[in-house]
Every structure is written in structure tokens, then in C-alpha cells.
Amino acid sequence: MCLIAFAWQLSGRPLLLLGNRDEFHARPTRPATFWNEEGHPELLAGKDLEAGGTWLGVTRSGRFAALTNIRSPGARRGPRSRGSLVLDYLTGRSAPEDYLNALVDDLAGYAGFNLLVGNMQQLWYLNSDEARPQALTPGLYGLSNAALNSPWPKLQALRQGLDQHLDSESDSDALLGLLRDSREYPDEQLPDSGVGLEWERRLSATFIRGEDYGTRASSLLAIDADGSITFVERNFGPNGQELGESGWIL
């Protein structure tokens, strides 16, 4: 994913997460579904059909994980797919803390990433550049292609929007609507992440419309206090064309 805002252990709910996945439209992708054919019928997630991993997923037991790439000048490359980091946690049994601690000595195999792994009781975060897993305390967070809560304009806007919905009975349409903000921000507010000003402008929007590259999926993941899980995904094609919506309550 490229942009996530999430509330952890707030308003009587373990998790409320919103996120957009931005990617080249030519990259083959399977929308979210249960991974029955792969032998993981408990797993609900999209699938990157090029590398085999995923960017966001949840299991029936309440294990969840999400990933964003780190974008920075001189960012390193890695031989292995970062999507496997999400998949390996979701299909394994390691506790969140143990899983991230085991990764710390193997970070050179991956390009830069932010990784969230959790369950009903705990949520852990790892930034591969910092290499220090940390448990997240209850709060409202935002994550894009830098460190946790970096003050990128679109991250701040999405986090503020989510905050305004926490104490209301907002439905999925209202929440997912926060992810459709296509405004671009002034140059002086943009980060320098090594992609050039034209791309910084384009990537500054919460929802990116483009013929070749753009927002491919918008997702909502909610875990309630009783353990029920809601997952909704909207998929998009070139120039923001709506391709459909799927939703599950587990």
C-alpha cells in the first residue's frame, strides 16, 4: 500500500484501518478474496500475481498485516518481494513481536518498507531503515512512504478525516470516501523522495488518477470488540475507473 490511516484501540474498537494501494495498472493483481486455492482458506487478501505476495490482509482469527514501501533518494533495492513479509506473517503462527524481531537480521534482502503486524491484542510496527520493532500504544496513526506519522500532506488529511469519524456511526461509504480525495498539494508542501517534482506532485494526492499508474484499490478493515471483522475493498482501473466493490463480515 502507499497510504494508510488507522485507529488502534480507540472508541471501543481494536482496529479501524483505511488504505490505498497505488501501483502501475499493468501489474497483474487479483482483488481481495480468500486464498483457498493456495491452501490458506483462513486468509482474506488481494494478491500480487507478479511476485505472489500481498499488501494488506486479515485472517478469520484476527491476524492482520499491512505494508507500505519506503520512497527516498538513494533507496536500496532488494532481491526479495516485500509482499512476502505480509503473507508470511498472516500464514504463520508467530506473535507480532517475535515475527518482527526475526526480520531485523534479514532486512538487506528487501527494499525499504514499513510493516504493521497485529492481532486483537497487540500491534507492532517496523520501519526497515530504523530496524527497531516497536509496539504501538492506543492512538491514531498515519503511514505512507516514509516513517510513521511523517507530516506528508495527504497523510495528515486522511488521518484527520478518520479522526472525525471515530465517534460516529459512519458507514463504509463515508469512510471509503475519505480515500477518494484527488487534490494535489502545493510544491512547497511536498517531500523530496527522490522521484522528481512532477512525480511528487502526482503522488501527493490521496487518490491518484492516471493512465499508467494510479490508485488500484481502496480498503477498509475494521475489527470490533466482539471479534467480528469487516473488510471492504474497492478496485479501480486507469484514470480512476471504478471496477467494483467487494465486502465481507467475518
Side-chain angles (χ1 to χ4, degrees):
M1 306 194 81
C2 291
L3 178 63
I4 301 172
F6 59 99
W8 171 243
Q9 301 290 356
L10 295 181
S11 301
R13 170 188 281 153
L15 179 71
L16 178 59
L17 180 149
L18 297 172
N20 273 347
R21 178 193 181 227
D22 306 326
E23 183 54 87
F24 286 98
H25 289 292
R27 185 162 183 140
T29 296
R30 186 178 71 190
T33 190
F34 285 100
W35 287 41
N36 297 317
E37 295 180 359
E38 292 85 355
H40 303 297
E42 295 292 308
L43 172 60
L44 175 59
K47 185 175 184 180
D48 172 17
L49 296 176
E50 183 172 301
T54 188
W55 52 94
L56 170 68
V58 64
T59 69
R60 293 184 184 275
S61 64
R63 288 171 73 87
F64 62 90
L67 175 104
T68 71
N69 299 340
I70 291 177
R71 200 172 73 236
S72 63
R76 69 174 185 271
R77 293 182 173 272
R80 281 175 276 173
S81 168
R82 291 166 287 195
S84 65
L85 299 171
V86 175
L87 182 60
D88 288 347
Y89 171 75
L90 293 172
T91 57
R93 297 184 177 181
S94 298
E97 178 182 8
D98 295 339
Y99 182 76
L100 293 188
N101 282 330
L103 283 179
V104 170
D105 294 330
D106 195 30
L107 296 178
Y110 304 91
F113 65 85
N114 294 291
L115 181 61
L116 297 168
V117 294
N119 54 36
M120 288 275 293
Q121 292 77 37
Q122 54 182 311
L123 175 56
W124 281 72
Y125 164 70
L126 175 64
N127 176 294
S128 63
D129 290 346
E130 298 172 354
R132 293 190 303 273
Q134 58 178 293
L136 297 186
T137 57
L140 185 65
Y141 298 89
L143 189 58
S144 188
N145 303 113
L148 191 68
N149 289 333
S150 290
W152 289 16
K154 66 178 182 180
L155 184 154
Q156 294 178 311
L158 181 60
R159 189 175 59 189
Q160 291 167 3
L162 180 58
D163 189 25
Q164 294 170 4
H165 286 75
L166 287 182
D167 296 322
S168 65
E169 294 297 324
S170 300
D171 59 19
S172 62
D173 282 342
L175 290 166
L176 287 167
L178 299 172
L179 294 168
R180 292 299 301 268
D181 184 357
S182 59
R183 61 180 158 163
E184 297 180 359
Y185 290 87
D187 291 353
E188 62 269 19
Q189 297 182 24
L190 304 183
D192 179 8
S193 63
V195 296
L197 183 56
E198 181 179 351
W199 269 95
E200 296 288 7
R201 291 168 177 160
R202 189 176 179 185
L203 298 176
S204 71
T206 298
F207 187 90
I208 301 170
R209 301 175 184 271
E211 182 66 31
D212 57 343
Y213 182 94
T215 298
R216 299 279 303 272
S218 293
S219 303
L220 179 156
L221 173 60
I223 301 179
D224 291 330
D226 64 0
S228 63
I229 300 167
T230 301
F231 189 101
V232 182
E233 181 182 270
R234 290 177 176 172
N235 293 284
F236 304 94
N239 299 314
Q241 177 189 3
E242 296 185 14
L243 300 179
E245 175 181 315
S246 299
W248 301 262
I249 298 178
L250 312 182

